Amino acid sequence: MSTLQASRTSRTVVAQRSRPRFSVSKWYRSGGLQAVLFAIPIVVIFLYFSWGPILQGLVISLQKTNLVAPAEWVGLGNFEYVLNDPGLVQAALNTVYFAALALVIGFPIPIFLAVFINELRRYDGLYNALAYLPAIVPPVAAILLWKFFYDPSSSGMFNTALGWIGLGPYPWLNAEAMAMPSIVLYATWAGAGSTAIIYIAALSTVKTELYEAAEIDGAGIWRRVWHITIPQLRGVILVMMLLQLIGTFQIFTEPFLFTGGGPSNATQTILLKIYNYAFVNGDFGAASALSVLLAGFLGLLSVVYYFATKRWSPS
């Protein structure tokens, strides 16, 4: 033990002796000042556009303002107002419901889609393009098209197709129980392709020798997926799951354009409530306060997720 400590001490002493001492004149002659002057504008621009709005939002959350009249400092009054809003619980539960449905329905589909395309030996480029096609359709145009598909009458596209097998018609977006699953179905269709492309890129890094060895051992596709693909992709899967959780808790465009939060607030989400505070009620202080609470919750969720999945992460 003493020999090991002596060896470590010796290496530390050697490292300290070999480390060059900092010299201002040498730093200046080597171009250190020019590098700092070159970096300052970039850092200032980054701070202004990245952290400026965050700090401004924190300031506004402590004010009562409609961005037109002079602002009035109210301290934590906006937070008390938001937390006492009887509609906040419903919006939070709807957001959690959307996130859970998207996690159960929407998260596995891109993985299966990527594995399916990766297993194809021919025309994989064509299938890549078809999978990515929904991602290039503008969201507003796609949602308006899906609203036509979700027509609750028997002549609606989905109801017509289901009518061929004796089902329906269903009210889709007009029923409280079906509105949120209908929105999740659209969100899955819109986001699966772009997510699958990321998984396909990650699959290209998996060593082909592993699949070849598994095929020699007689492993079928599901055993290869379970014992090779999923373990090799677990780092990407964990990151994508966290990004999906954060994205689903910030869902806005779909419920805003599909239902406007209805029917009977069944699709009212946190971000939709923030929008209503700001642009319907003109209370930007309450909107900023709820935004700060949401950001704090997502930050806490990310920390908990990191420590909960740390032992499964490859890095």
Side-chain angles (χ1 to χ4, degrees), residues 154-166:
S154 57
S155 60
M157 183 172 176
F158 286 160
N159 282 335
T160 300
L162 292 174
W164 294 338
I165 55 176

Side-chain angles (χ1 to χ4, degrees), residues 137-151 157-158 173 186 189 257-258:
V137 179
V140 175
I143 290 174
L144 292 177
L145 184 64
W146 274 68
K147 286 185 76 172
F148 172 74
F149 294 163
Y150 280 142
D151 189 338
M157 183 172 176
F158 286 160
L173 300 170
Y186 161 80
W189 170 84
L257 292 177
F258 268 123

Side-chain angles (χ1 to χ4, degrees), residues 105-142:
I105 300 174
F107 188 75
I109 290 179
I111 299 176
F112 291 132
L113 188 60
V115 171
F116 172 73
I117 294 175
N118 193 60
E119 287 291 329
L120 295 174
R121 298 292 185 265
R122 300 178 61 186
Y123 308 118
D124 54 332
L126 174 63
Y127 290 107
N128 276 331
L130 291 175
Y132 191 69
L133 188 60
I136 64 175
V137 179
V140 175

Side-chain angles (χ1 to χ4, degrees), residues 19-310:
R19 184 181 302 167
R21 296 182 60 182
F22 177 76
S23 171
V24 176
S25 59
K26 186 176 180 182
W27 171 77
Y28 177 78
R29 288 195 301 271
S30 63
L33 180 60
Q34 291 87 338
V36 170
L37 293 176
F38 181 78
I40 284 177
I42 300 174
V43 174
V44 170
I45 292 173
F46 172 78
L47 292 176
Y48 180 80
F49 286 104
S50 297
W51 287 93
I54 297 175
L55 296 176
Q56 185 69 18
L58 289 173
V59 172
I60 293 177
S61 69
L62 303 175
Q63 296 176 332
K64 185 172 182 59
T65 177
N66 59 4
L67 301 184
V68 178
E72 175 187 355
W73 291 96
V74 294
L76 299 178
N78 287 324
F79 292 92
E80 294 178 4
Y81 170 74
V82 167
L83 293 175
N84 290 324
D85 187 338
L88 179 63
V89 174
Q90 179 68 44
L93 291 176
N94 290 338
T95 304
V96 172
Y97 181 43
F98 177 87
L101 282 179
L103 194 64
V104 173
I105 300 174
F107 188 75
I109 290 179
I111 299 176
F112 291 132
L113 188 60
V115 171
F116 172 73
I117 294 175
N118 193 60
E119 287 291 329
L120 295 174
R121 298 292 185 265
R122 300 178 61 186
Y123 308 118
D124 54 332
L126 174 63
Y127 290 107
N128 276 331
L130 291 175
Y132 191 69
L133 188 60
I136 64 175
V137 179
V140 175
I143 290 174
L144 292 177
L145 184 64
W146 274 68
K147 286 185 76 172
F148 172 74
F149 294 163
Y150 280 142
D151 189 338
S153 67
S154 57
S155 60
M157 183 172 176
F158 286 160
N159 282 335
T160 300
L162 292 174
W164 294 338
I165 55 176
L167 298 176
Y170 295 105
W172 300 110
L173 300 170
N174 294 342
E176 295 181 28
M178 296 190 66
M180 192 63 86
S182 300
I183 293 176
V184 171
L185 183 62
Y186 161 80
T188 301
W189 170 84
S194 56
T195 308
I197 294 297
I198 296 174
Y199 285 125
I200 291 172
L203 281 170
S204 65
T205 64
V206 179
K207 295 180 179 177
T208 56
E209 293 84 355
L210 297 175
Y211 291 109
E212 292 171 356
E215 289 180 358
I216 292 174
D217 291 339
I221 181 172
W222 294 115
R223 292 187 64 187
R224 295 201 302 271
V225 169
W226 185 253
H227 293 288
I228 298 176
T229 304
I230 299 297
Q232 292 293 318
L233 295 184
R234 67 182 185 277
V236 178
I237 290 174
L238 291 176
V239 172
M240 295 303 295
M241 183 178 291
L242 176 60
L243 293 178
Q244 174 163 330
L245 281 173
I246 294 174
T248 51
F249 274 100
Q250 296 177 336
I251 186 70
F252 171 75
T253 305
E254 288 81 358
F256 178 70
L257 292 177
F258 268 123
T259 60
S264 302
N265 292 325
T267 57
Q268 178 81 253
T269 61
I270 293 291
L271 243 63
L272 204 53
K273 199 155 193 62
I274 292 173
Y275 173 85
N276 289 333
Y277 279 143
F279 299 103
V280 177
N281 302 336
D283 190 349
F284 286 85
S288 298
L290 186 52
S291 301
V292 170
L293 290 175
L294 178 62
F297 170 76
L298 292 178
L300 181 62
L301 175 68
S302 301
V303 173
V304 172
Y305 181 88
Y306 170 76
F307 285 105
T309 61
K310 189 176 181 180

